[in-house]
Amino acid sequence: MGDNEVDSRYAPIRRYKRRKLVGRVAVVMDGRLRFETAAEISEGGMLLRTNEVLPVGSRVELRFFLPQDVFISAHAEIGYELEPHEGVHFLGLRF
């Protein structure tokens, strides 16, 4: 597995290949701005690491940079939450 590739155990159920992307993400929900951390990204969405629970089904606006300073602004929906680990939550976002 390469440096930017993610564990492929779940590849058969994924439509898009995921890549590791660790960086700050501005998240706007209900007019409130917060900064969270990206863990992975694909053409279809992002895995977001957060200390706060955000409700599944909520719509958010994301702003972040890809490598080589490519700015992205996208709308997403929170599709699922993984089991929290030591107070950290991981949310699956769909673009």
Side-chain angles (χ1 to χ4, degrees):
M1 184 162 47
D3 287 341
N4 291 328
E5 294 183 31
V6 175
D7 189 335
S8 62
R9 288 179 288 175
Y10 304 104
I13 62 172
R14 297 192 191 277
R15 283 197 285 178
Y16 303 105
K17 186 174 184 176
R18 290 190 168 202
R19 299 279 184 182
K20 287 184 184 179
L21 174 72
V22 178
R24 301 297 282 169
V25 178
V27 179
V28 179
M29 185 175 110
D30 297 330
R32 182 174 168 225
L33 173 66
R34 63 186 345 122
F35 291 93
E36 306 295 353
T37 303
E40 299 174 356
I41 192 166
S42 74
E43 288 181 46
M46 173 184 285
L47 186 65
L48 195 68
R49 179 184 175 183
T50 178
N51 292 323
E52 278 187 62
V53 177
L54 301 176
V56 171
S58 297
R59 296 192 175 277
V60 296
E61 183 179 346
L62 307 173
R63 298 178 189 142
F64 58 96
F65 284 93
L66 292 175
Q68 290 107 21
D69 293 327
V70 176
F71 178 74
I72 303 291
S73 179
H75 293 275
E77 179 180 331
I78 300 171
Y80 61 90
E81 178 185 357
L82 297 178
E83 189 70 30
H85 179 70
E86 297 181 3
V88 177
H89 301 267
F90 290 90
L91 304 174
L93 307 179
R94 288 187 287 250
F95 295 139

